[in-house]
Amino acid sequence: NDSVPSFPAGFNLDNILAVAAIDRADKLASFSNFGRNSVHLGAPGVQIFSTSSRSDNAYTALDGTSMATPHVAGAAALLLARYPDASVLELRQRLLTTVAPTPALATTTLSGGRLDAAAALRALDDAGDPLDRLDDHPGHLVVEGGFQRGDVGERQEAHVAVAGRVLVAVAPGHA
């Protein structure tokens, strides 16, 4: 993403988090977005058990940054449930400063790590107190990743609002 921007991740805005896909061994997926200056953190995105459009009760294992992005959006939603007055910048800071350091992401993402939702929920402020005195600043946090449809490699774009405050933007990814 540093050399060939993907949008909205390519915008240099404080309310955007770009997500890389990693596998079960914490390795960067071959298809994933990456960029030391443009991709913020990694999350599981290989062989993710998900619903399928084949029928109302079909499931399949899928790969993609579109499988990684919902992990980050879900963590942001959990944080908003715990800290409903959190600003977008506070959510972003908490998600990025509590990643689990991951060697494969050390030089391929800004944070150098993968999402750690439990650590984000346990994070303390500089005084050692739980970060539960957060200010209320309205806004949206955009969590971005690429989407590859099924086996055909078709790229699509989707936008989903979660809890009225978190916007998940899934857009084409580039290496």
Side-chain angles (χ1 to χ4, degrees):
N1 278 3
D2 286 349
S3 59
V4 180
S6 169
F7 294 92
F11 293 119
N12 186 21
L13 300 172
D14 290 339
N15 67 330
I16 292 179
L17 287 176
V19 182
I22 58 172
D23 64 18
R24 293 171 199 229
D26 280 346
K27 303 293 183 204
L28 184 68
S30 62
F31 56 80
S32 182
N33 300 335
F34 64 91
R36 183 76 173 123
N37 298 309
S38 58
V39 177
H40 298 90
L41 74 165
V46 177
Q47 292 295 294
I48 305 299
F49 195 60
S50 183
T51 56
S52 171
S53 61
R54 292 185 189 118
S55 74
D56 288 343
N57 60 357
Y59 295 89
T60 189
L62 297 171
D63 298 340
T65 50
S66 60
M67 296 289 105
T69 299
H71 289 86
V72 179
L78 286 171
L79 288 171
L80 280 174
R82 172 81 168 91
Y83 305 105
D85 296 332
S87 71
V88 168
L89 292 179
E90 289 164 333
L91 284 173
R92 177 189 169 110
Q93 176 188 10
R94 186 180 281 253
L95 289 168
L96 294 178
T97 59
T98 58
V99 297
T102 307
L105 300 174
T107 60
T108 56
T109 65
L110 221 107
S111 69
R114 68 170 159 72
L115 175 68
D116 188 337
L121 288 166
R122 289 190 310 263
L124 303 177
D125 65 14
D126 292 336
D129 297 321
L131 289 172
D132 57 4
R133 300 178 316 250
L134 302 174
D135 299 325
D136 183 22
H137 298 24
H140 291 86
L141 176 66
V142 177
V143 182
E144 191 272 345
F147 174 73
Q148 291 184 324
R149 188 180 203 56
D151 300 323
V152 294
E154 226 176 88
R155 295 191 184 266
Q156 300 289 326
E157 181 173 333
H159 300 274
V160 181
V162 178
R165 296 272 313 275
V166 179
L167 177 68
V168 180
V170 180
H174 297 31

